[in-house]
Amino acid sequence: MQINNHELHRFLNELLKPEKIRDYCPNGLQVEGKADVRRIVTGVTASQALIDAAVEKRADAIIVHHGYFWKGENPCLTGMKRTRLATLLKHDINLFAYHLPLDIHPKLGNNAQLAQRLGIEVDGGLIAEDPNSVAMRGHLQESISVAEMAARLTSSLKRTPLVEGDQNRKLRTIAWCTGGGQGFIEQAAEQGIDAFITGEVSEQTIHTAREMGIAFFAAGHHATERYGAMAIGQYLAEQLDLSVEFVDIDNPA
Ligand SMILES: [Zn+2]
């Protein structure tokens, strides 16, 4: 099957509703390529390695979580950015990027997908007054220890997390935010939640975890954000009968 690139754009916008959330980048079709889309590559970040893989696979479109044109970045098309865009344009590849909309989608989003892999039942947004809260809260059916949660993260994300907290402490309530969500640890601790899981860690995160008494797991920005792009790809393959492949460009951060 094939689809027109603007039709695919409309389909993705209807699915992910980018107009509902304020973001740090434009969401949707960021770089326009050929009209006919048959083969799609999905990935976490539109890095040169991902674009090169898409060229090799003769993809007509790339769909990522981390695209381009971030607020505050140098807008000039020089250096690394020029090379990435030159490759896309030379091969007429469409680049679609969905940042926060791909974090918060209730089924296909990074947060929902991570919860599913860890056996967490979603109770709602961590920031109650924000209908589009990017941090979530939920609970486990049965309590598990900090050590058991670390093992669960290691086996489901294929990466050893950084852990702060007593290994034997039992966890029942969990808050989480994929990617660079470490700033939400305080809100989680203030709500008395047992543990906070995110991708990245800052020096101060550890002090907050210790002093506010919340277990903390940094499981990798890349590792926690693989699953939204993967889920979108699978959904497109099922719904639109397109050829879609997730390409994992490994990143230890
Ligand atoms: Zn991210």
Side-chain angles (χ1 to χ4, degrees):
M1 269 287 290
Q2 72 177 64
I3 188 169
N4 172 271
N5 58 346
H6 293 291
E7 230 171 278
L8 177 60
H9 190 195
R10 275 193 293 277
F11 184 89
L12 289 168
N13 279 350
E14 245 162 69
L15 181 66
L16 297 167
K17 306 191 177 8
E19 71 284 357
K20 295 224 162 129
I21 187 159
R22 208 189 294 177
D23 210 334
Y24 313 97
C25 63
N27 286 299
L29 182 59
Q30 288 193 337
V31 180
E32 188 176 352
K34 64 190 76 166
D36 290 341
V37 176
R38 289 167 195 274
R39 260 188 291 271
I40 299 174
V41 157
T42 66
V44 178
T45 301
S47 62
Q48 189 66 44
L50 185 75
I51 300 167
D52 292 344
V55 169
E56 196 178 305
K57 292 172 187 299
R58 301 184 166 281
D60 308 306
I62 299 175
I63 303 174
V64 292
H65 178 51
H66 302 137
Y68 303 149
F69 315 120
W70 298 91
K71 231 173 244 175
E73 79 174 19
N74 178 356
C76 298
L77 300 181
T78 55
M80 178 175 95
K81 200 174 181 183
R82 175 209 176 267
T83 311
R84 288 172 169 187
L85 282 157
T87 314
L88 284 172
L89 294 171
K90 180 179 169 201
H91 295 275
D92 221 3
I93 298 174
N94 294 278
L95 175 69
F96 295 91
Y98 289 89
H99 180 232
L100 297 181
L102 189 51
D103 283 320
I104 66 169
H105 188 278
K107 277 206 186 76
L108 306 172
N110 286 319
N111 279 329
Q113 290 288 318
L114 183 66
Q116 196 183 309
R117 278 168 176 79
L118 298 176
I120 303 170
E121 303 207 9
V122 179
D123 291 326
L126 181 66
I127 313 302
E129 61 276 16
D130 179 0
N132 295 312
S133 174
V134 285
M136 306 296 296
R137 58 184 174 75
H139 65 277
L140 300 162
Q141 277 296 349
E142 278 171 44
S143 320
I144 61 170
S145 68
V146 166
E148 284 167 320
M149 179 55 90
R152 203 176 274 194
L153 281 163
T154 305
S155 69
S156 50
L157 305 186
K158 315 273 179 281
R159 186 185 188 280
T160 312
L162 176 148
V163 182
E164 177 58 42
D166 176 358
Q167 295 286 310
N168 299 314
R169 178 177 174 184
K170 289 288 186 194
L171 309 174
R172 179 84 187 221
T173 52
I174 312 284
W176 71 101
C177 178
T178 61
Q182 64 268 51
F184 289 109
I185 189 173
E186 269 188 67
Q187 278 105 322
E190 277 163 8
Q191 293 180 35
I193 291 167
D194 297 330
F196 183 66
I197 302 170
T198 188
E200 293 192 22
V201 60
S202 299
E203 192 270 351
Q204 71 209 49
T205 321
I206 301 301
H207 300 296
T208 306
R210 287 177 185 162
E211 291 170 37
M212 295 185 81
I214 182 168
F216 173 72
F217 302 84
H221 191 135
H222 174 86
T224 56
E225 296 200 324
R226 283 188 200 113
Y227 303 100
M230 233 183 239
I232 286 289
Q234 210 178 333
Y235 186 79
L236 289 178
E238 286 162 11
Q239 298 290 315
L240 302 175
D241 196 20
L242 296 166
S243 155
V244 189
E245 184 181 345
F246 176 79
V247 175
D248 194 25
I249 305 295
D250 188 47
N251 184 334

